[in-house]
Amino acid sequence: MSSAPATPPTAAVQSPLNLMLTIQPGKNQTVLESLVKFQPAINAALTKIGTVHFARFLVIPGTQYLFVITTYDGDFNAYIQAFTNLLGDVFNGLLSCVDPAPPLPVQQNVAAFQAFVSQHNVPTGLYSAYPDCTVVQIWGNGCAPPQ
């Protein structure tokens, strides 16, 4: 047994986002169809941003709940800004189906959108097998980004 002091854990570079939204009555099908339609654009944006480890949209069956669940690197505001730049119109369409909705279009209301996402985020812990590694570092170690 070593008598060396334990190294204190470092702050993880990854953060969870668990955005909980309420779909307006009668809009579940619109949301589901939009997610299918825009999934290729969403995936391309996730790769281009280069800070997202995992992302998924989850509509809870039998409810009006839509979750946007991601794990990302870096600053929250920069993360939301990047999505606003690349997927603003997709988010405008989805967010027009939730209640409450942030001020739309999100591209012209970035600070309000950041505040909205922060307000509707359900905080959780996060386990990561690589808590100190960014997406870019993982890609650099032999795991290629999606094509």
Side-chain angles (χ1 to χ4, degrees):
M1 197 135 146
S2 171
S3 62
T7 304
T10 59
V13 299
Q14 303 164 21
S15 299
L17 175 70
N18 304 294
L19 179 59
M20 184 173 131
L21 304 169
T22 302
I23 303 169
Q24 297 170 7
K27 298 282 187 166
N28 282 47
Q29 193 61 35
T30 301
V31 168
L32 290 170
E33 290 170 1
S34 294
L35 291 172
V36 169
K37 177 181 178 181
F38 293 111
Q39 193 66 59
I42 293 167
N43 291 351
L46 289 166
T47 300
K48 185 173 184 175
I49 290 170
T51 62
V52 181
H53 291 263
F54 304 100
R56 62 201 158 279
F57 292 87
L58 175 63
V59 176
I60 306 296
T63 74
Q64 298 303 115
Y65 293 116
L66 167 65
F67 282 86
V68 181
I69 304 168
T70 70
T71 302
Y72 66 94
D73 297 329
D75 178 70
F76 171 79
N77 287 333
Y79 171 64
I80 299 302
Q81 177 71 61
F83 272 103
T84 303
N85 293 344
L86 293 174
L87 293 171
D89 290 336
V90 171
F91 276 104
N92 291 333
L94 289 171
L95 293 168
S96 71
C97 295
V98 303
D99 184 29
L104 301 175
V106 293
Q107 300 95 317
Q108 295 173 12
N109 296 284
V110 175
F113 184 44
Q114 290 166 333
F116 174 86
V117 172
S118 184
Q119 179 183 4
H120 293 278
N121 181 35
V122 179
T124 63
L126 175 68
Y127 167 80
S128 174
Y130 304 97
D132 301 321
C133 296
T134 67
V135 169
V136 172
Q137 289 169 328
I138 292 168
W139 287 346
N141 282 317
C143 293
Q147 300 302 315

